[in-house]
Structure formats: structure tokens, C-alpha cells
Amino acid sequence: MAPDRRLRPATQSDVAREVGVSRTLVSFAFRGAPGVSGETKEAIFEAARRLGYRPNAVAADLARKHRSAVGLYLMDIRNEVYADILSGVRMALPQDGNRLILSVSRSVDGVDGGALESLIEARVGIIIAATLLDPDERVLELAQIVPLVSVTRPVAGVDSVYSDDVAGARAATEHLLSLGHRRVAHLAGPIYDGHIARRQSYEKTMRDAGLKPLTLAADDFTQEAGQRAATLLLTQAERPTAIFTHNDQLALGAREAAYGLGLAIPRDLSLVGYDNSRTAKLHGIDLTSVDLHAIALGQAAGTIALERLNDPEAPVADKRLTPELVVRDSTAPPAP
């Protein structure tokens, strides 16, 4: 007695029986291999739709001895910049081609080997990683297991797509200095390999102007962490008149801290973020921010990933984008 097919997914063998051809011919049809007439292929696809058959993409990759899936690792899906990177990656990938498998960090600090391991276990052909906080040595080890494109962070020896953080932080700091601010603080993120260029550039720009840097590292990259850290800065005896933050999330936290202390922006405190997120552009927030061009980063990463899949021996890509300071209503000259 034949098994009840309703209790299991349809297979290529089911499709073959339905059409009256061999399972091999069905396999050839779904792989786009030669030797299948247009009429037979149409009958196979129609039977597959009728039976609810879905090709096993992993098995197809194994049969071709070529992994076509692209894995995308995101550090924090709550941060809008990563949603923009995702949009850019999707724009770069052909709609009828490579599968995109998403994995998001589950850890608080973004150092999450489990999320990356899940992509490796899914047998992806390449991983686009935005943003890795692991040490450079660990990133290089991962790239030996599966090809990797590092986004927002350059890693020597690994395909990298990133924005020029030195130029971006310098533009943000010089903007505040040009307005007349002298007590300019930097709310940095936690220190990780490859993620201190904004801090270093701010500090150098301040010293070049003959001013003493005031840097405070938040314990995370989130709005909540920004509010905690900014409260410490703004309750000092001689508080800063301007704050430049590592990202927009920290800037939004600093904004909340300022209002909680009765300070108005920009009258009492000028504020500059980094990322130029959608929230930064909202009326009523109007946050001056450095645009790192997240969608373009994602598009470039997707393009490089496809090139690496097609040519594993290609030279290592190193693509640096130029950020742009977008001035809005959160910055103004200091109060007299």
C-alpha cells in the first residue's frame, strides 16, 4: 500500500511518477541542465506546483559541488543601519539566483560565534558580516572556514567594505569646533578590534586644535547605554557643551539624558551622531549625523560576495566609502 503523501513533503520521485519520467530528468529540469525539452520541463514544473514540491537548495548545491547561498550576519537588527545594509545586500543579489540566509547576534555585546556557526552549518558559500566585533585573528580564522566579507570594518586579508571612520569623525568634530564649542566630548562605544578609529580621530582633531579630548566609553552601542553614559558626562561640574557619539543610537540616548536633566538641544547641548539613520531624519529629532551610506555598503558587499563566489582566487577586495556630514538642527553655537 502506497504511503499517504500528505504526511510528508513531496519529493522529486513523486513529481517523476506524476509526469511519467525518471527522477533524474526531474533533477535535470530543476537544475537547468541540458537534455530536457521545453514541453517536458513545463510538465514537470506544473506537476511540482500541483504537488507542492519545493527543491532542496542545499542538495542542489551539493550536486553541483558549488555553494550558492549567501549568509548575512547582522550584529543588531534593532539598529536601523543594519536594516539598511540588509536592503543594500538584497539589491545586489539577483532575485532568481542566490539564496540569502540571515543570522542575527543573540549576545548583548555582539560577539556571538553561535550566529556565525549557524550560517556555516547552513552550508552557505560566503558570509557577509556586519558588524564583527571579534579580534582580527578570529575573523581571519573564520575566513579560512568559509569566505567572508567584512562590512563597516576593514580586516587585512579579508574582503572588506567600510566607510572612512577617520574622515567621518574628523568632520563631526571640526563641525562642532567651527561653531565655537571648546568643551566637546566623545561618547564612544566599547573598545573592540577595528572599531576605535572614530575615537582616535576625534581625539587627534581635538589635540590638533589645542584642546583636551574628553572621551567616555559606553558599555554598549544602544540607546540605553548612551543615556547612562551621557548622564555621567552631563552631571560633571564643568559639563561639555557638545557631544559627538559613536553612533545614532548613543546620540538618541544622550538626547534623552539631556532632556531628563532639563537641558535643551541645541540651546544647552549640541549633539552629533553617526550613521544618519532614519530616526535621525525625523522632524523633532533632526539629528546632525555622519552618513556612512549603509545601503551603498550593503550593495558593495553583495557585489563583492558574488564576485568571490564566482572567482575564489580573486584578489582581496578593499572598498572604502567616503562618509558625509549631514547638518541638522541638533547643533548650534554654544550659549553665551
Side-chain angles (χ1 to χ4, degrees), residues 90-205:
R90 293 180 66 180
M91 290 177 186
L93 300 184
Q95 293 184 2
D96 58 349
N98 304 78
R99 292 174 297 128
L100 182 63
I101 301 175
L102 179 65
S103 184
V104 180
S105 174
R106 294 183 296 273
S107 67
V108 174
D109 60 6
V111 180
D112 185 8
L116 289 166
E117 191 67 30
S118 69
L119 293 176
I120 295 172
E121 291 174 354
R123 304 183 66 84
V124 298
I126 193 165
I127 294 175
I128 298 172
T131 302
L132 290 174
L133 300 180
D134 301 85
D136 286 354
E137 294 79 6
R138 173 58 178 158
V139 177
L140 288 167
E141 289 174 2
L142 287 168
Q144 295 302 312
I145 299 171
V146 60
L148 188 145
V149 181
S150 175
V151 187
T152 74
R153 167 191 173 184
V155 180
V158 174
D159 290 329
S160 301
V161 182
Y162 56 97
S163 186
D164 188 340
D165 282 348
V166 172
R170 181 173 59 246
T173 308
E174 288 179 344
H175 169 64
L176 292 169
L177 295 178
S178 71
L179 291 173
H181 293 278
R182 293 298 175 263
R183 296 197 303 276
V184 179
H186 177 52
L187 189 51
I191 297 176
Y192 292 101
D193 279 5
H195 295 284
I196 60 174
R198 298 175 194 177
R199 173 179 185 157
Q200 291 174 334
S201 181
Y202 151 79
E203 292 176 348
K204 182 180 186 304
T205 305

Side-chain angles (χ1 to χ4, degrees), residues 246-304:
H246 177 85
N247 66 11
D248 283 354
Q249 289 292 307
L250 292 177
L252 293 173
R255 181 177 183 272
E256 290 302 303
Y259 284 124
L261 295 169
L263 303 175
I265 295 173
R267 185 192 66 200
D268 302 313
L269 177 71
S270 283
L271 196 57
V272 178
Y274 208 109
D275 288 344
N276 197 32
S277 61
R278 291 181 179 87
T279 302
K281 305 170 188 177
L282 293 176
H283 294 296
I285 294 181
D286 296 306
L287 177 67
T288 296
S289 184
V290 178
D291 190 347
L292 48 61
H293 306 301
I295 292 178
L297 286 173
Q299 284 182 295
T303 299
I304 289 172

Side-chain angles (χ1 to χ4, degrees), residues 230-249:
T231 299
L232 295 177
L233 284 173
L234 296 174
T235 52
Q236 293 182 2
E238 195 170 351
R239 65 172 179 80
T241 61
I243 297 178
F244 160 51
T245 66
H246 177 85
N247 66 11
D248 283 354
Q249 289 292 307

